[in-house]
Amino acid sequence: MSVRSLFGSGVPHGGWAQDKGSAPLRFPCREKVRPASGSPHLRQSEGGDIDINHKGLVSVSCVTEWWSEDEMNSTFCRGRSQWKRRKESKLIMKIDDTENLIEVMMSQQIHSRRIEGLDKNVWVELTKLAADHAVVNLGQGFPDFSPPNFVKDAFTRAINGDFNQYTMASGHPPLVKILAKFFGKLLEQDIDPFTEVLVTVGAYEALFCFFQALIDDDDEVIIIEPFFDCYESMVRMAGGQPVYILLRPKPVSGRLMTSADWVLDPAELANKFNKHTKAIVINTPNNPLGKVFNREELQMIADLCVKHNVLCISDEVYEWLVYDANKHVRIASLPGMWERTITVGSAGKTFSATGWKVGWAIGPKDIVRHLQTVHQNSNYHCATPAQQAVAEGFMKEFGRLGAPDSYFTNLRQELQLKRDRLAACLMSVGLKPIVPEGGYYLIVDITGVKVDLPVSTDTEEPHDYRFVKWLITNKGLATIPVSTFYSSDHKKDFENFIRFCFVKEDSTLSKAEKILQEWKSTVLTQ
Ligand SMILES: Nc1ccccc1C(=O)C[C@H](N)C(=O)O
Ligand SMILES: O=CC(=O)O
């Protein structure tokens, strides 16, 4: 059998790998085969044909076009039909001089099921596109200004003062102690620094540890849409099943919509809880909407958690950024919730130092201990001098909490001005912002904005993705498509919003304004 005939044409075929007595492919369905890029044994020419080199060994990656019937019906694939194209396996074959197949030496799926369908990542893709076009970047959420001097100086002192070796796995002692004291006060709860606090590599790792430590195959995890996209991937990597519930916008008239107009339906939420529900993810202030859940909303969620004995992970990385008269309420402070909640925070967001990658998880010791197990067996700990610097930052803020010279107070005030400025600019060019109550993002309705988007070959690609790519490449302005923050079933329903990040220098916001104003005079039609 000529290898070229097998791989050259891209025609689907099945069953042949077993013919040669090798380990059978794990999926006995049709394959469309393409060579692995960068493989030492072959090179891909235009049109998908392959060249096979003189070693007589061929290595090919296959992409399965269809799931088999069995897999479609398996628990693993429930609700995943959108990923059917993404399954890859690797073959190594021996061929003779005339390129006939002698034997299949290896045929296996290389990647684990845990990461199936998770290779595409909006942050990787759009950050690269933005970098390639040297744009004004209101995309990924990070400040383009420096952290305050008191934490930068503390970092330098930490390095010079020789905080350069390993520290305690669950957190550098000065940091866990001040976090316990600081959040103990906010949550009105005695917190043990060594058993009830875990310092992680960014809030991201705290989330990862939660899901890895607590979610088993087929456990259900309730996620409120729109949601920071990693919740879905992390639940899936743990083998869990995300269950979604929408925040639905209530129609408003005669005023701008705010994030408070997006609400949960209590009956619908109650229906999502069942005997498989292991946890619910809360994110307040919410990314991307900026919704700050009020006490009644959190109480309604808390009542369901208590009733159904469900765990809660509360991602509160934007906790200090709450505007107007809104208040940040911590769900762990509601009755019956401390016992079942992990509260996640971020020094990156808190001190405008996202690259330091210091985050934490706080909760009762019988839960935190399992997160510690994942953490000590994977990351072990995050950089000691960064932890020392963050500890000093919190010590300083502890003494001036709520005072006018507090960094947290100042950042909030500055960001509220930036929010208002960006919202005003968007309105002046005819766009409709949804005013956020907190966080550092603002979403905008792009319905009715007429642009000549290039024809796309990908019919699945939501409108906002195409719009955002167009905005980057044609106008030099980077934003994030809001459908990113929806499950596949709902992406198409929310493809008419884009997200702007406003934790940026005033000069950056001015550049964005300039782009929008120029664009308005040429293209914007309403
Ligand atoms: N921690 C991350 C890790 C990987 C990718 C993005 C992030 C972000 O934090 C992005 C930010 N929250 C955003 O919404 O723009
Ligand atoms: O989400 C925050 C991080 O630093 O990770």
Side-chain angles (χ1 to χ4, degrees), residues 123 139-141 204 228 287 318 349 357 441 485 499:
W123 309 108
Q140 190 174 15
Y204 220 64
F228 183 32
N287 175 13
Y318 305 103
K349 263 68 185 193
K357 294 297 292 176
Y441 312 106
F485 306 100
R499 189 195 80 173

Side-chain angles (χ1 to χ4, degrees), residues 6 38 188 217 351 364 445-446 494:
L6 280 172
E188 297 175 357
D217 280 358
F351 291 109
D445 193 339
I446 53 166
F494 291 89

Side-chain angles (χ1 to χ4, degrees), residues 254-276:
R255 63 166 173 85
L256 269 186
M257 187 180 261
T258 80
S259 55
D261 296 315
W262 292 53
V263 292
L264 291 171
D265 174 339
E268 192 183 355
L269 181 63
N271 268 330
K272 302 284 173 180
F273 285 75
N274 64 48
K275 65 178 195 305
H276 302 292

Side-chain angles (χ1 to χ4, degrees), residues 121-124 127 138-142 201-205 207 228-230 234 287-288 315 317-318 346 349 354 357 440-441 480 485 499 501:
N121 183 290
V122 66
W123 309 108
V124 174
T127 302
L138 305 189
Q140 190 174 15
F142 61 89
V201 181
Y204 220 64
E205 197 225 335
L207 295 164
F228 183 32
D229 62 324
C230 75
M234 289 189 188
N287 175 13
D315 175 351
V317 298
Y318 305 103
S346 155
K349 263 68 185 193
T354 57
K357 294 297 292 176
Y440 45 51
Y441 312 106
I480 300 290
F485 306 100
R499 189 195 80 173
C501 172

